[in-house]
Coordinates of all heavy atoms in Angstrom, one line a residue:
I1 N 127.3 103.1 100.9 CA 126.2 102.1 100.7 C 124.9 102.8 100.4 O 124.2 102.5 99.5 CB 126.1 101.2 101.9 CG1 127.4 100.3 101.9 CG2 124.8 100.3 101.8 CD1 127.5 99.4 103.1
Y2 N 124.6 103.8 101.2 CA 123.3 104.6 101.0 C 123.3 105.2 99.6 O 122.3 105.1 98.9 CB 123.2 105.6 102.1 CG 122.0 106.5 102.0 CD1 120.7 106.0 102.0 CD2 122.1 107.9 102.0 CE1 119.6 106.8 101.9 CE2 121.0 108.7 101.9 CZ 119.7 108.2 101.9 OH 118.6 109.0 101.8
S3 N 124.4 105.9 99.2 CA 124.4 106.5 97.9 C 124.3 105.5 96.8 O 123.6 105.7 95.7 CB 125.6 107.4 97.7 OG 126.8 106.6 97.7
W4 N 124.9 104.4 96.9 CA 124.9 103.3 95.9 C 123.4 102.8 95.8 O 123.0 102.5 94.7 CB 125.8 102.2 96.2 CG 127.3 102.6 96.0 CD1 127.8 103.7 95.5 CD2 128.4 101.7 96.3 NE1 129.2 103.7 95.5 CE2 129.6 102.5 96.0 CE3 128.5 100.5 96.8 CZ2 130.8 101.9 96.1 CZ3 129.8 99.9 96.9 CH2 131.0 100.7 96.6
L5 N 122.8 102.6 96.9 CA 121.4 102.1 96.9 C 120.5 103.1 96.1 O 119.7 102.7 95.3 CB 120.8 101.9 98.3 CG 121.4 100.7 99.1 CD1 120.9 100.7 100.5 CD2 121.0 99.4 98.4
I6 N 120.7 104.3 96.4 CA 119.9 105.4 95.6 C 120.3 105.3 94.2 O 119.4 105.3 93.3 CB 120.2 106.8 96.3 CG1 119.5 106.8 97.6 CG2 119.6 107.9 95.3 CD1 119.7 108.1 98.4
L7 N 121.5 105.2 93.8 CA 122.0 105.2 92.4 C 121.3 104.0 91.7 O 120.6 104.2 90.7 CB 123.5 105.1 92.3 CG 124.0 104.7 90.9 CD1 123.8 105.8 90.0 CD2 125.5 104.4 91.0
F8 N 121.4 102.8 92.2 CA 121.0 101.7 91.5 C 119.5 101.5 91.5 O 118.9 101.1 90.5 CB 121.7 100.4 92.0 CG 123.2 100.4 91.7 CD1 124.1 100.5 92.7 CD2 123.6 100.4 90.4 CE1 125.5 100.5 92.4 CE2 124.9 100.5 90.0 CZ 125.9 100.5 91.1
I9 N 118.8 101.8 92.6 CA 117.4 101.6 92.7 C 116.6 102.7 92.1 O 115.8 102.5 91.2 CB 117.0 101.3 94.2 CG1 117.6 100.0 94.7 CG2 115.4 101.3 94.3 CD1 117.4 99.8 96.2
C10 N 116.9 103.9 92.5 CA 116.2 105.1 92.1 C 116.4 105.5 90.7 O 115.4 105.8 90.0 CB 116.5 106.3 93.0 SG 116.1 106.0 94.7
D11 N 117.6 105.4 90.2 CA 117.9 105.8 88.8 C 117.2 104.8 87.9 O 116.6 105.2 86.9 CB 119.4 105.8 88.5 CG 119.7 106.2 87.1 OD1 119.4 107.3 86.7 OD2 120.3 105.4 86.4
S12 N 117.2 103.5 88.2 CA 116.6 102.5 87.4 C 115.1 102.7 87.4 O 114.4 102.7 86.3 CB 116.9 101.1 87.9 OG 118.2 100.8 87.9
A13 N 114.5 102.9 88.5 CA 113.0 103.1 88.6 C 112.6 104.4 87.9 O 111.6 104.4 87.1 CB 112.6 103.2 90.1
A14 N 113.4 105.5 88.1 CA 113.0 106.8 87.5 C 113.1 106.7 86.0 O 112.2 107.2 85.3 CB 114.0 107.9 88.0
A15 N 114.1 106.0 85.4 CA 114.2 105.9 84.0 C 113.0 105.1 83.4 O 112.4 105.5 82.4 CB 115.5 105.2 83.6
I16 N 112.7 104.0 84.0 CA 111.6 103.1 83.5 C 110.3 103.8 83.7 O 109.5 103.9 82.7 CB 111.6 101.7 84.2 CG1 112.9 100.9 83.8 CG2 110.3 101.0 83.9 CD1 113.1 99.7 84.6
I17 N 110.0 104.4 84.8 CA 108.8 105.1 85.0 C 108.7 106.4 84.1 O 107.7 106.6 83.5 CB 108.6 105.5 86.5 CG1 108.4 104.2 87.3 CG2 107.5 106.5 86.7 CD1 108.4 104.4 88.8
G18 N 109.8 107.1 84.0 CA 109.8 108.3 83.2 C 109.6 108.0 81.7 O 108.8 108.6 81.0
V19 N 110.2 106.9 81.2 CA 110.0 106.5 79.8 C 108.6 106.0 79.6 O 107.9 106.3 78.6 CB 111.1 105.5 79.3 CG1 110.7 104.9 78.0 CG2 112.4 106.1 79.3
R20 N 108.1 105.2 80.5 CA 106.8 104.6 80.3 C 105.6 105.6 80.6 O 104.7 105.6 79.9 CB 106.7 103.4 81.3 CG 105.4 102.7 81.2 CD 105.2 101.9 79.9 NE 104.0 101.2 79.9 CZ 102.9 101.6 79.3 NH1 102.9 102.7 78.6 NH2 101.8 100.8 79.3
F21 N 105.7 106.4 81.7 CA 104.6 107.2 82.1 C 104.9 108.7 82.0 O 104.0 109.5 82.3 CB 104.2 106.9 83.5 CG 103.8 105.4 83.7 CD1 104.6 104.5 84.3 CD2 102.6 104.9 83.2 CE1 104.3 103.2 84.5 CE2 102.2 103.6 83.3 CZ 103.1 102.7 84.0
G22 N 106.1 109.1 81.7 CA 106.5 110.5 81.7 C 105.7 111.3 80.6 O 105.8 111.0 79.4
K23 N 105.0 112.3 81.1 CA 104.3 113.2 80.1 C 104.8 114.7 80.2 O 104.8 115.4 79.3 CB 102.8 113.2 80.5 CG 102.2 111.8 80.4 CD 101.7 111.5 79.0 CE 100.9 110.2 79.0 NZ 101.6 109.1 78.5
T24 N 105.3 115.0 81.4 CA 105.7 116.4 81.7 C 107.3 116.5 81.7 O 107.9 116.2 82.6 CB 105.2 116.9 83.0 OG1 103.8 116.5 83.1 CG2 105.4 118.3 83.2
I25 N 107.8 116.9 80.5 CA 109.3 117.0 80.4 C 109.7 118.3 81.1 O 109.2 119.4 80.9 CB 109.7 117.1 78.9 CG1 109.2 115.8 78.1 CG2 111.2 117.2 78.8 CD1 109.6 114.5 78.7
I26 N 110.7 118.1 82.0 CA 111.2 119.3 82.8 C 112.6 119.7 82.3 O 112.9 120.9 82.4 CB 111.2 119.0 84.3 CG1 111.9 117.7 84.6 CG2 109.8 118.9 84.8 CD1 112.0 117.4 86.1
A27 N 113.4 118.8 81.8 CA 114.8 119.2 81.4 C 115.5 118.1 80.7 O 115.4 116.9 81.2 CB 115.6 119.7 82.6
D28 N 116.1 118.3 79.6 CA 117.0 117.3 79.0 C 116.3 116.0 78.8 O 117.0 115.0 79.0 CB 118.3 117.2 79.8 CG 119.4 116.6 79.0 OD1 119.4 116.7 77.7 OD2 120.3 115.9 79.6
G29 N 115.1 116.0 78.4 CA 114.4 114.7 78.2 C 113.9 114.0 79.5 O 113.3 112.9 79.4
K30 N 114.1 114.6 80.6 CA 113.7 114.0 81.9 C 112.3 114.5 82.2 O 112.0 115.6 82.0 CB 114.7 114.4 83.0 CG 116.1 114.2 82.8 CD 116.4 112.7 82.6 CE 117.9 112.5 82.3 NZ 118.3 111.2 81.8
S31 N 111.5 113.5 82.7 CA 110.1 113.9 83.0 C 109.9 114.1 84.5 O 110.7 113.6 85.4 CB 109.2 112.7 82.6 OG 109.4 111.6 83.4
F32 N 108.9 114.9 84.8 CA 108.5 115.1 86.2 C 108.2 113.8 86.9 O 108.5 113.5 88.0 CB 107.3 116.1 86.2 CG 106.7 116.2 87.6 CD1 107.3 117.0 88.6 CD2 105.6 115.4 88.0 CE1 106.8 117.0 89.9 CE2 105.1 115.5 89.2 CZ 105.7 116.3 90.2
E33 N 107.4 112.9 86.1 CA 107.0 111.7 86.7 C 108.2 110.8 87.1 O 108.2 110.2 88.2 CB 106.1 110.9 85.7 CG 104.8 111.6 85.4 CD 104.9 112.8 84.4 OE1 105.9 113.1 83.9 OE2 103.8 113.5 84.2
G34 N 109.2 110.7 86.2 CA 110.4 109.9 86.6 C 111.1 110.5 87.7 O 111.6 109.8 88.6
S35 N 111.3 111.8 87.7 CA 112.0 112.5 88.8 C 111.3 112.4 90.1 O 111.9 112.2 91.1 CB 112.2 114.0 88.4 OG 112.9 114.1 87.2
F36 N 110.0 112.5 90.1 CA 109.2 112.4 91.3 C 109.3 111.0 91.9 O 109.4 110.8 93.1 CB 107.7 112.8 91.0 CG 106.9 112.8 92.3 CD1 107.1 113.8 93.2 CD2 105.9 111.8 92.5 CE1 106.3 113.9 94.4 CE2 105.2 111.9 93.7 CZ 105.4 112.9 94.6

């Protein structure tokens, strides 16, 4: 349950925040802002 919560909540938030506000690309199109 804990891992699923992280998957569905954090991945969704990271993608939206990363696409919208990501400026610092760290790897494979992923941003520091989304990862943070």
Side-chain angles (χ1 to χ4, degrees):
I1 290 170
Y2 178 56
S3 67
W4 289 356
L5 288 172
I6 289 175
L7 167 67
F8 293 115
I9 296 170
C10 299
D11 183 62
S12 299
I16 292 169
I17 291 169
V19 168
R20 179 71 178 100
F21 301 106
K23 303 272 188 256
T24 312
I25 303 302
I26 53 177
D28 196 31
K30 308 297 181 198
S31 70
F32 171 79
E33 294 80 3
S35 299
F36 187 69

